[in-house]
Amino acid sequence: YGCPHCGKLKFIPFRCHSPFFSEKRLILMENTGLFKGGGEELSEYLKSPAQTVYFLFVETEVDKRSKLYKTVSAKGCAVEFGIQDENTLKRWVLGMVKRENKKISEPALNFLLEMTGTDMENIQKEMEKLFLLLHGPGCYNGTGYCADLHQKDFQPHF
């Protein structure tokens, strides 16, 4: 449910119904804005929710002082997924490289992160491209090959 300015929380009646084809019901709520304000009604409900209902909130902006945030933190788990620093990203990439039985030089790793940024999904996709192009165990140590990845149209070569 994504409702930027929903006054009445339309999903709350679902709490009274048994889940269909399952023991539990998951309600995913993305970018509702309720954690910035207006989440008092949901906060009251979450103090004693139905045992068959789970809520998953995905929000880009959260006011940690709000009543809803405090209730979610007390009754469940509030997790913030921040942007990873460069050293963490390097360790993550090196782990992927090791699992593929390959090696990468420090300058090539720095260039890769410079080209992809800090978005882990983007980094993973670029690494998959590299792994597909580099068959067998080997070492990637040049920046030219990485630059080629961004310029080539990836067509299968048979």
Side-chain angles (χ1 to χ4, degrees):
Y1 291 90
C3 51
H5 301 291
C6 54
K8 296 287 182 191
L9 301 173
K10 299 173 188 167
F11 60 86
I12 289 184
F14 284 133
R15 78 191 191 291
C16 300
H17 302 278
S18 295
F20 193 63
F21 292 125
S22 179
E23 293 180 20
K24 307 284 182 186
R25 176 185 311 256
L26 174 67
I27 298 177
L28 172 64
M29 300 182 67
E30 292 184 84
N31 298 319
T32 62
L34 293 171
F35 284 86
K36 290 191 300 183
E40 291 79 17
E41 186 179 354
L42 179 58
S43 178
E44 288 301 316
Y45 168 72
L46 290 177
K47 289 181 180 175
S48 58
Q51 293 183 2
T52 59
V53 178
Y54 290 92
F55 286 88
L56 177 62
F57 299 98
V58 180
E59 299 287 334
T60 54
E61 295 181 43
V62 173
D63 181 1
K64 293 182 179 179
R65 301 169 296 171
S66 71
K67 186 176 181 182
L68 180 57
Y69 181 83
K70 291 177 182 177
T71 302
V72 168
S73 295
K75 293 290 188 175
C77 182
V79 180
E80 182 178 345
F81 293 98
I83 296 174
Q84 301 298 316
D85 64 18
E86 188 175 340
N87 288 331
T88 303
L89 290 173
K90 285 182 179 180
R91 285 194 314 268
W92 181 63
V93 169
L94 289 172
M96 284 191 287
V97 169
K98 186 176 181 180
R99 279 191 300 278
E100 292 291 326
N101 201 22
K102 300 195 183 311
K103 296 179 183 176
I104 188 168
S105 68
E106 183 73 22
L109 178 58
N110 290 335
F111 182 75
L112 177 76
L113 292 178
E114 181 182 321
M115 296 302 292
T116 58
T118 58
D119 181 4
M120 294 177 79
E121 183 178 10
N122 190 31
I123 294 169
Q124 183 177 17
K125 288 179 181 179
E126 292 300 319
M127 292 304 298
E128 287 174 9
K129 291 176 191 176
L130 274 174
F131 297 147
L132 290 171
L133 291 171
L134 298 173
H135 300 288
C139 179
Y140 169 64
N141 59 11
T143 57
Y145 197 76
C146 195
D148 286 346
L149 289 179
H150 295 284
Q151 296 171 1
K152 285 185 181 177
D153 183 16
F154 293 102
Q155 300 295 327
H157 296 93
F158 297 103

